[in-house]
Amino acid sequence: MARRQRCIAASLPALVSLLALLVAVWANALTTSFAIPTGFLRHVSPTSGRMATNVGGTMISSSLTLASGGVVLALSLLPRRSSTSQTLRGAKGEAEGKIKLFSPAKVNLFLRIIRRRPDGYHDLASLFHTVAFSDSLEIKVLPDAEKDALECNLPGVPVDESNLVIRALKLFREKSGIERFFGVKLEKQIPAQAGMGGGSSNAATAFFGANLLCGSPASPEDLIRWGDDPVIGSDATFFLSEGTAYCTGRGEIVTPIEGLPIKEGLSVYLVKPNYGLSTGKVFKAMDLSALSTVDPEELLQTFKDKGTSHSSWVNDLEKPAFTVSPDLSELKDFLATEWGFEAVLMSGSGSTIFCLGDPSGGSQDFEAATKEKFDIEGIWKTSFMRRPSPTEWYQEV
């Protein structure tokens, strides 16, 4: 009897810990600490010491400290969405192991270059906005895989670790500690070297999708913080915002902006010549003494107050881009003077030029005349868009 009492007494701490864990999960506790047997561990990262598992519908991310008789865990309990339909809000697909996500392009409503940094990058200040012209990613979990797999509809697009999608999935594993691999089918429409952030958008979409398929262990704020890594592109953090943001630093410091007062139904025409521009070449051609002197904070306030109904349009990379490609300067002049658009500006480092409003004479005449005069890869009519909420992804318009 005495031995049985001692055994029961010795078992009580583990039983109490297990009961406390189950109660915390049931109550959707946010943060707590327990001692639990090592048998409950899943997905322990040998490099980071992080662990993530799923208990009772709740994703648990923790740091590990060995202790006698078990493991002491500092647990962050992040409740999973209450149903698959809620989990996949903003995504296409029924099964939790497979989703299809919209991967939008962006334009820069203004872009100021502030200075050259000691590390070779440049400090900039820019107002980014997503548009409803996009790629798409179909992402699924590969249960028994030891590496990610990427397919793309366009020949010539790399599908190895040089692709930002693969880099984003690797970064997600490093940040979350979850050793899960994915298969991705990338349907591309956004051209390369176009100044529309296609690669960074794909990376951000993969990052969001991986998190969703793992039960959303990271909050929207976590994703932005985790995505602050040049390995997946300076613009990736922007796409993890709600679609309108003031970006500074090299572009990775993202300050979300509420929806601008842009008139409903405003058309956005994206005009891409049949060539791209290397961002490196454009920056190399830049004359720092010839930059605009307009205060970017004043520009930001103008857009907050007036939306796009004003004349304050600045992109400091236009001059060097036009030095690299004089044809692009001629294209912009044609678009700005012949068709009555409300505004015409190059996006990012080019080569896409976006036009706001509808062309006088109609869209068909505009497209035909532009393609007759210039070698054009594509003209796409689209609109501005934003994410419905911080927890929902961009949805096709």
Side-chain angles (χ1 to χ4, degrees), residues 124-135:
L124 60 84
S126 183
L127 180 58
F128 287 55
H129 207 301
T130 45
V131 294
F133 175 65
S134 81
D135 298 334

Side-chain angles (χ1 to χ4, degrees), residues 28-351:
N28 287 330
L30 292 179
T31 304
T32 187
S33 298
F34 303 96
I36 66 174
T38 56
F40 286 97
L41 299 183
R42 296 290 187 274
H43 304 304
V44 179
S45 169
T47 55
S48 66
R50 300 287 300 174
M51 179 276 282
T53 189
N54 187 285
V55 180
T58 298
M59 183 59 64
I60 301 175
S61 176
S62 63
S63 56
L64 310 181
T65 306
L66 292 177
S68 177
V71 177
V72 176
L73 301 176
L75 300 178
S76 296
L77 302 182
L78 298 161
R80 180 178 291 197
R81 303 287 187 272
S82 60
S83 70
T84 299
S85 63
Q86 287 177 311
T87 301
L88 297 179
R89 188 180 300 163
K92 294 181 180 179
E94 297 300 326
E96 192 175 353
K98 183 178 180 179
I99 54 175
K100 189 171 183 178
L101 297 174
F102 190 82
S103 181
K106 61 83 178 170
V107 295
N108 300 76
L109 297 179
F110 70 80
L111 198 167
R112 284 279 289 105
I113 302 299
I114 308 303
R115 65 183 66 85
R116 180 178 285 123
R117 297 163 25 146
D119 61 6
Y121 289 98
H122 289 78
D123 280 325
L124 60 84
S126 183
L127 180 58
F128 287 55
H129 207 301
T130 45
V131 294
F133 175 65
S134 81
D135 298 334
S136 67
L137 279 78
E138 184 180 278
I139 311 171
K140 64 180 179 180
V141 176
L142 301 177
D144 301 319
E146 296 183 355
K147 67 177 184 178
D148 301 306
L150 174 62
E151 302 175 30
C152 183
N153 63 308
L154 294 183
V157 174
V159 293
D160 58 11
E161 290 197 0
S162 65
N163 192 292
L164 295 181
V165 168
I166 298 295
R167 294 184 187 182
L169 296 174
K170 181 180 179 182
L171 182 64
F172 175 78
R173 284 190 291 274
E174 292 174 357
K175 296 294 185 180
S176 68
I178 300 174
E179 290 298 312
R180 182 170 290 178
F181 295 88
F182 306 89
V184 180
K185 290 184 179 179
L186 172 60
E187 293 286 329
K188 282 207 68 67
Q189 184 177 211
I190 304 170
Q193 293 188 330
M196 292 191 283
S200 293
S201 175
N202 297 161
T205 305
F207 210 58
F208 179 90
N211 185 58
L212 194 65
L213 289 170
C214 290
S216 298
S219 69
E221 295 78 15
D222 290 334
L223 289 179
I224 290 178
R225 188 175 68 254
W226 291 1
D228 178 11
D229 191 318
V231 72
I232 61 172
S234 296
D235 292 343
T237 44
F238 159 69
F239 289 100
L240 294 166
S241 75
E242 291 177 60
T244 314
Y246 180 53
C247 300
T248 53
R250 64 176 188 276
E252 86 287 1
I253 303 173
V254 176
T255 303
I257 303 296
E258 295 294 327
L260 301 175
I262 298 172
K263 59 186 178 183
E264 188 175 352
L266 180 66
S267 297
V268 181
Y269 285 84
L270 306 171
V271 183
K272 165 69 169 57
N274 201 19
Y275 54 85
L277 285 181
S278 161
T279 300
K281 286 185 178 180
V282 172
F283 272 95
K284 188 175 181 180
M286 184 170 57
D287 180 359
L288 292 174
S289 66
L291 299 177
S292 170
T293 59
V294 179
D295 185 344
E297 296 287 342
E298 291 182 7
L299 284 171
L300 178 61
Q301 194 59 52
T302 297
F303 278 89
K304 285 182 176 180
D305 293 341
K306 299 181 179 180
T308 59
S309 300
H310 56 79
S311 58
S312 299
W313 298 89
V314 178
N315 183 343
D316 280 338
L317 294 182
E318 279 192 339
K319 287 183 179 179
F322 296 163
T323 299
V324 173
S325 177
D327 288 349
L328 193 59
S329 177
E330 294 178 15
L331 174 60
K332 186 193 173 184
D333 288 343
F334 173 78
L335 297 173
T337 58
E338 300 290 332
W339 299 98
F341 287 112
E342 297 178 21
V344 175
L345 194 72
M346 187 182 78
S347 182
S349 59
S351 59

